[in-house]
Amino acid sequence: MSVLRNLEAKLTDIVEGTFGRVFKSEVRPVEVARKLAREMDEHKTESLSRTYVPNEYIVYLSAEDRSRLEGVEESLIDELSAYLLEHARRERLALLSRPQIEFRTDERLSLGEFGIQTRLVRPPEESPAAEPAQASHGNTMIYSTAGRIREEVEQVQGTRPPARALLVAEGRRHVIPPAGALIGRSRECDVVLSDANVSRRHAEIRPAAAGTWTIADLGSTNGVLVNGHRIAGLESLRPGDRIALGTADIGFEVE
């Protein structure tokens, strides 16, 4: 069984087995756990001999999603902290303390969206000569389990763009996050395709000027075609364009 399959099985056993019944909205504990691990991996601090990762995590939920935690929040925090501790050990990442997780309500978030803010903090008893300096809170990343929307928390309250970009693939509509989307067979991609001719990290959709979008081939085996033409480098996209990754046919839409 692959590491990813082991991870998903453990998340199911640790979190969903106990708390899955609480969540009937898009936000589920297994998704929160997966994104916490992702934020840990993306906020590393290198020292001479170790790679440190954040040990404090704030998870922001909408009021409706937060209300579903009533009565189980502390137990869920314990389980998520244990999972992050094991993830750090598995990846040989250094923690200054056991991962501390706190849930907060953010009225600006919609149902199904959640934010994660990380911080690396030295416990008071630690010697400052041996450890990295305390870091300030980083940007809060906003996730949507429906569209996997990812953006800085400051953008949540502001005016949203009137149009959003989507990919139509394998019978499903995928909202492209404001920061862009990775497309491929890997479960870590934003748009996951099952076509065996698609590479694990095949292509990337990126935002461009004036609300436009581009697509780039990430060194895939079978290349990227836009309207039947193989691309090299960045290629602009227009509503109605057809994208071919391997034998997967994908529609690009803006609405």
Side-chain angles (χ1 to χ4, degrees):
M1 183 180 290
S2 69
V3 174
L4 179 58
R5 290 182 182 273
N6 278 323
L7 168 60
E8 291 178 340
K10 183 166 185 62
L11 288 173
T12 300
D13 293 339
I14 288 181
V15 185
E16 289 195 310
T18 305
F19 304 103
R21 66 183 185 279
V22 179
F23 285 78
K24 300 185 184 302
S25 67
E26 291 89 343
V27 172
R28 304 182 68 189
V30 66
E31 186 72 11
V32 175
R34 186 178 294 113
K35 296 304 185 184
L36 283 169
R38 179 172 177 174
E39 291 299 313
M40 172 182 280
D41 292 339
E42 292 186 357
H43 293 84
K44 299 174 182 177
T45 300
E46 302 287 345
S47 72
L48 292 177
S49 58
R50 295 183 181 181
T51 299
Y52 291 92
V53 289
N55 54 341
E56 287 192 1
Y57 300 82
I58 301 174
V59 180
Y60 295 92
L61 296 171
S62 68
E64 185 171 351
D65 281 319
R66 179 77 186 281
S67 69
R68 300 177 187 275
L69 283 178
E70 185 175 357
V72 299
E73 185 170 298
E74 291 302 318
S75 296
L76 178 56
I77 287 173
D78 289 342
E79 299 289 5
L80 291 173
S81 178
Y83 167 68
L84 283 182
L85 185 62
E86 181 173 336
H87 177 76
R89 288 173 176 169
R90 182 190 303 118
E91 300 298 323
R92 300 183 182 276
L93 301 172
L95 286 160
L96 295 180
S97 68
R98 182 182 177 86
Q100 303 297 310
I101 300 170
E102 177 184 356
F103 284 99
R104 295 183 185 178
T105 301
D106 191 327
E107 300 292 344
R108 297 170 294 181
L109 295 176
S110 302
L111 178 68
E113 290 183 332
F114 63 97
I116 298 177
Q117 189 177 55
T118 65
R119 192 181 186 191
L120 192 157
V121 179
R122 182 189 304 113
E125 66 273 13
E126 293 290 342
S127 169
E131 307 293 357
Q134 176 173 314
S136 61
H137 281 101
N139 292 331
T140 301
M141 305 311 297
I142 304 302
Y143 293 95
S144 168
T145 55
R148 297 179 182 263
I149 299 171
R150 178 175 182 170
E151 55 188 0
E152 294 186 2
V153 71
E154 290 80 3
Q155 296 174 339
V156 174
Q157 192 174 20
T159 302
R160 294 181 183 271
R164 61 177 183 173
L166 305 97
L167 295 178
V168 181
E170 298 181 343
R172 299 178 59 190
R173 293 163 60 85
H174 305 267
V175 176
I176 301 175
L182 289 175
I183 312 169
R185 286 190 296 108
S186 171
R187 295 293 297 273
E188 297 302 314
C189 290
D190 300 285
V191 178
V192 180
L193 302 177
S194 60
D195 192 317
N197 294 290
V198 174
S199 298
R200 290 183 56 79
R201 292 167 57 91
H202 197 115
E204 183 177 14
I205 302 284
R206 304 173 185 174
T212 59
W213 297 85
T214 62
I215 187 169
D217 187 350
L218 299 179
S220 65
T221 301
N222 294 313
V224 177
L225 279 69
V226 176
N227 298 325
H229 300 285
R230 185 177 296 272
I231 70 170
L234 290 176
E235 181 79 10
S236 297
L237 290 174
R238 295 177 297 177
D241 280 350
R242 305 303 303 182
I243 303 167
L245 307 184
T247 56
D249 180 59
I250 303 170
F252 176 75
E253 299 180 358
V254 175
E255 64 177 28

